[in-house]
Structures are given as C-alpha cells and as structure tokens.
Amino acid sequence: MPAYAVIGGQWGDEGKGKVIDYLAGQSDCVVRYAGGNNAGHTVVNEHGEFQLHLVPSGICWPGVTGIIGNGVVVNPQVLLGEIAGLEERGIDTGRLYVSDRAHVIMPYHILLDELQERARGRSAIGTTGQGIGPAYVDKTSRDGIRVGDLLDGERLPDRLIAAVETKNKVITGVYGGEPVDADEMLALCREWGDRLRHRVCATEQMVQDLLDQGKRVLLEGAQGTLLDLDHGSYPYVTSSSPSIGGAITGLGINPQSIEGVVGVFKAYSTRVGGGPMPTEMHGTAGEELREKAHEYGTTTGRPRRVGWFDAVAARYSRQINGFTGMVLTRLDILDGMQDVKICVGYKVGDQPVERFPANTALLEECEPIYEKMPGWTEPTASATQPEQLPANALAYVRRIEQLVGCDAQIISTGPSREETIAINRVIH
Ligand code: GDP
Ligand code: IMO
Ligand code: MG
C-alpha cells in the first residue's frame, strides 16, 4: 500500500508538475492535498504543454485517477474551466474526483484577498490574489462552504446567507469595498454543484481503498516548504501546509502508508512575492539569470526573484519533511556559467546563524556564506543518463546532496518528460 509524497523543498515552482507527470507513469493515482489555484504546475509531454492549477499533474496518463483532496481550497469556476480546457485538448478527465470536504473559494474570498493586500500597503505579502488566505480563514473559523454543501439544496442557503452577511460587514465596514449579492452567490453555488456533482465523493475513503488494493498513490505537493504556514518565513507564506503534515491531514491517510517523501529542489532558488530570500541576486546578475531561465510566475506572470542554491534552507526543509530522496530540477539552466555558488551558512555581522531562523526579521538580516564551485561548459540540457553529465555538474550535484543530507533520485535537465535522469527508482 505505498504512497509517495512529492513536495516542494523551496519557495514553490521547483518543477513539481514536471516531476509528477514523469512519476505518474509508474502510478495509479495522483492526489493534490493542499493549496488551491495559487499553484501553477507546468507539464510538458507528448500532448503539449499544460499549466495546471487544480487538476493533479498526472491527468495526462490514461488510467491514472486524479483526486483533489479535502485539504485543497477549490474555486469551482477555475476547476470547471480547467477541466473544459483539458477535454478540448483530448485529455480524458473522467477519472477526476473532488473531496466533499474540500472548502470552496467564493468570490468574496477573492475580493477580500485583494482588499487585505491593498490595506497591508508596503508590507503586502504579494499573494496570488486567488482568495486562498480568506478561504482558509473561513475553514478554520468554521464558516466555510464545503464542496459537499454545494450539493445540499436544503442546508446551503442558510449557511451561505449567513456567510455573505458577515463578509459584507467586513468588506464594506472595514475596507470600504462593494458588498456581494447573496442571491448571486447562491445561484453560482447551485450551478457549480450541478456541474461537479458526479465528481464529488469521500476521497479519503477512495484513497484508503486504493492503498488497500496495493495501488501506487502519488501525493502532489503545491507551493513549497518555505511557504508553509507554520514552517515558512511567516507572515510571508501561504495559508496552508505544503509540507508532509499537510499531506496527511489534507487527504486523510495515515503516515504508515507513506513509503517515500521526495523533495523537489531547483538547482538554484526562486521566490515570487514578498519576504526574505537570503541568496537573492540583485542587479544585472539576477536579471540575466531570470531571463535565461525565463522565471516568470505560471499563475500570475510576475517576475520571480532568483538566487543561488540555499543549502541552509534546503537542509531545514529536508528535516521538516523527512525527505527520503530529492529531485534536482533545472540543472541545465546553470550550463555555461563560469562559476556556481552554494550558500552553506548564514551570518549576521560576524555572528554565524546555524539554522534557518523562525524570526523573519533575523532571516531578513542573514547574509549568505557561499562556497564557489567551477561551472561547466558542456551542456547538461536534455541529458538522460548520469554519464552524460560533465564532471563539474556532477560535482555540484554531489555537494548539494552532501549539504542537504539526502541523495538525488532524479535529475531533471529540461521541461519535458523525457529530459530526465533517473538515478534511483522513486516508486517501487
Ligand atoms: P511547479 O509549480 O513546481 O510545478 O513549477 P512551475 O511549473 O511553476 O515552474 C517550473 C518551470 O520549469 C516550468 O516552466 C517547467 O516547465 C520548467 N521545468 C521543470 N523542470 C525543468 C528542467 O529540468 N529544466 C528546465 N529548463 N525547465 C524545467
Ligand atoms: P506552485 O504550486 C510560488 C506565494 C505567493 C505569495 C505567497 C502567498 O506553483 O509552486 P497566496 O496566494 O498563496 O496567499 O500567496 O505564496 N505562492 C507561490 N509561489 N509557487 C506557488 O505555487 C505559490 N503559491 C503561492 O507568491 O508570496
Ligand atoms: Mg508553479
């Protein structure tokens, strides 16, 4: 009954979509457990290029079941649009299911996200503006609308009208915004319920049954460990738990069924939105790398901040998740660089900072201590065998493994499924 978690080890956009699409070929089911359509997962395979926001990244494989688990916040409009887009391109979505316990992102959540960010002014988080935070707030305050409620014609109006009444007080009274209309919301919910009804089920039971039958289940992380509500650089985080704890609560499976926890890391670092990033490259060096790597957000199109690989943060991420192995992506982006650097420690003034600090103000002050390694001129791009890697590229990978404390099971050398070096089997 093996489940394998694939989790972002940095600040998101590590290439999880590519890795899941690759591994889904050896799996029976792919399950999203947290976040919502703040995620943008890119998949490139024989069917073309896809940007997936809610639909699990294994969907292109016939026979692989896709599940959106209870820990996800679902914008039904976005989900329905994504399903229609996939169907138009010939991808069968008949095996896609949504948890009845997943919470719904309502239009007032999106409005509140926007109003709250505006009110934060210079300390704005830089959210994706998709209503993620406000939807999770309603979940924890027990005022949320769940996917199952969309099907419940009797209970839905009371719950929704109460929610809209409270939200409107906040929208107009606190933020001076325009109120939303309860009847409009109700009509939307009914339409969504009708259109999603056949996909809604008790997904925790479905996943448990699949595991009992010995099927291989992939747990697809969204965002990254350093954006985790508890373990990330708070308050510059998302409102869910992208790390391993979120996988368990976000699906209703037990830890014993998880056989492998794979951390996905880029060969360098990126971050979108606000918050500290010790290895950020400023000026032309940063711009050059961003352009070369085309580091622009999949969901919002915003330029991503770029920097060198941060082994202090990566080691912390390995410890939080208990990574049994890692996937290193985008090694090819570093092809042709004269030198490459790895952050092996932090310091504030003369004082070393041994571990990734919880104090965000301290993290802001941390200066990276770098180890410089020689770059490589021969390409790693599109390599499929470890022997094809130039010696310096391999030495770079080995040093990262040593510093992070786990082995690279896969090295990714390009966006498409084939551009992959499988070193050790992830799925058994
Ligand atoms: P995710 O959110 O973790 O799934 O990552 P994104 O899809 O937002 O961003 C990763 C980007 O890198 C996408 O454009 C992928 O197609 C691309 N990508 C993934 N792996 C590789 C790789 O090894 N090399 C290159 N050049 N691009 C990659
Ligand atoms: P994937 O799954 C990168 C960031 C936002 C912002 C913070 C909070 O593609 O790796 P939110 O809208 O979640 O309230 O925004 O989190 N963020 C991501 N950054 N990749 C993501 O997802 C992200 N999802 C959220 O930029 O800084
Ligand atoms: Mg992304």
Side-chain angles (χ1 to χ4, degrees):
M1 40 175 238
Y4 300 87
V6 178
I7 293 178
Q10 296 157 311
W11 282 284
D13 301 328
E14 298 91 348
K16 299 175 293 292
K18 142 120 201 205
V19 175
I20 293 277
D21 172 65
Y22 172 80
L23 292 174
Q26 306 153 38
S27 311
D28 302 289
C29 177
V30 181
V31 201
R32 270 281 306 268
Y33 60 81
N37 62 304
N38 47 351
H41 294 180
T42 313
V43 164
V44 182
N45 55 35
E46 75 271 22
H47 304 284
E49 177 170 334
F50 300 84
Q51 316 286 350
L52 299 165
H53 300 286
L54 276 167
V55 174
S57 300
I59 196 73
C60 293
W61 289 94
V64 170
T65 299
I67 293 179
I68 298 174
N70 58 275
V72 177
V73 283
V74 178
N75 179 331
Q77 201 70 44
V78 171
L79 178 59
L80 288 162
E82 204 166 303
I83 292 171
L86 286 164
E87 289 286 343
E88 257 170 43
R89 292 177 66 181
I91 306 294
D92 177 16
T93 63
R95 295 154 284 105
L96 177 67
Y97 301 94
V98 188
S99 168
D100 51 2
R101 294 175 186 267
H103 279 249
V104 176
I105 299 182
M106 297 293 299
Y108 49 79
H109 292 134
I110 299 171
L111 179 58
L112 277 167
D113 195 356
E114 186 194 319
L115 293 168
Q116 286 166 352
E117 276 288 86
R118 209 181 297 157
R120 286 184 187 115
R122 277 159 46 86
S123 20
I125 294 162
T127 71
T128 58
Q130 303 298 331
I132 306 295
Y136 277 117
V137 164
D138 275 5
K139 173 177 178 173
T140 39
S141 69
R142 292 151 292 175
D143 295 316
I145 305 292
R146 301 198 296 178
V147 168
D149 296 330
L150 301 179
L151 314 182
D152 187 340
E154 267 177 40
R155 261 168 54 90
L156 177 65
D158 284 353
R159 273 196 80 73
L160 188 64
I161 287 162
V164 169
E165 233 168 65
T166 320
K167 293 301 151 188
N168 277 342
K169 283 186 193 146
V170 178
I171 290 168
T172 57
V174 178
Y175 298 107
E178 288 296 313
V180 296
D181 184 79
D183 290 337
E184 244 175 65
M185 299 294 114
L186 193 57
L188 260 183
C189 284
R190 287 192 166 132
E191 184 203 326
W192 291 337
D194 285 344
R195 293 176 65 191
L196 286 173
R197 185 176 300 274
H198 62 292
R199 299 185 189 271
V200 178
C201 58
T203 54
E204 65 283 1
Q205 289 169 18
M206 208 170 165
V207 175
Q208 283 157 10
D209 289 347
L210 286 168
L211 289 170
D212 286 346
Q213 291 159 25
K215 304 283 187 200
R216 296 181 186 93
V217 177
L218 277 185
L219 317 182
E220 176 174 356
Q223 291 75 55
T225 304
L226 305 176
L227 288 172
D228 188 286
L229 180 59
D230 285 84
H231 305 295
S233 44
Y234 191 88
Y236 299 99
V237 291
T238 190
S239 299
S240 66
S241 303
S243 52
I244 189 67
I248 292 162
T249 51
L251 293 177
I253 61 169
N254 62 64
Q256 283 82 12
S257 52
I258 301 180
E259 210 158 282
V261 186
V262 184
V264 186
F265 292 89
K266 257 179 203 174
Y268 51 98
S269 305
T270 62
R271 174 164 204 174
V272 211
M277 180 182 178
T279 64
E280 182 166 11
M281 282 183 209
H282 299 280
T284 44
E287 271 162 39
E288 274 171 29
L289 180 57
R290 175 162 43 252
E291 289 316 308
K292 182 179 180 198
H294 196 74
E295 287 290 1
Y296 290 90
T298 311
T299 301
T300 58
R302 292 178 292 175
R304 293 175 182 152
R305 299 154 65 193
V306 296
W308 294 112
F309 189 87
D310 185 339
V312 180
R315 190 178 174 78
Y316 167 75
S317 181
R318 194 265 294 160
Q319 289 165 333
I320 294 286
N321 291 292
F323 289 142
T324 51
M326 71 171 151
V327 178
L328 201 62
T329 67
R330 294 196 140 229
L331 185 63
D332 53 296
I333 298 296
L334 302 181
D335 289 355
M337 287 201 163
Q338 201 168 8
D339 301 303
V340 283
K341 288 193 210 168
I342 305 176
C343 167
V344 295
Y346 297 152
K347 61 180 168 87
V348 175
D350 294 337
Q351 292 299 310
V353 176
E354 303 291 349
R355 302 179 81 152
F356 191 78
N359 180 336
T360 302
L362 176 62
L363 187 60
E364 241 3 306
E365 281 180 49
C366 282
E367 281 177 52
I369 301 167
Y370 284 120
E371 200 171 280
K372 203 194 250 188
M373 296 183 75
W376 50 93
T377 44
E378 319 86 286
T380 67
S382 305
T384 54
Q385 303 295 327
E387 304 77 53
Q388 292 171 287
L389 295 181
N392 287 353
L394 199 59
Y396 179 70
V397 174
R398 293 286 171 254
R399 185 65 183 133
I400 286 180
E401 287 177 327
Q402 215 173 38
L403 289 163
V404 177
C406 64
D407 291 346
Q409 294 176 291
I410 293 174
I411 298 172
S412 172
T413 58
S416 71
R417 199 184 275 166
E418 296 73 35
E419 294 169 300
T420 306
I421 304 175
I423 298 175
N424 278 320
R425 261 191 103 75
V426 171
I427 298 190
H428 298 279

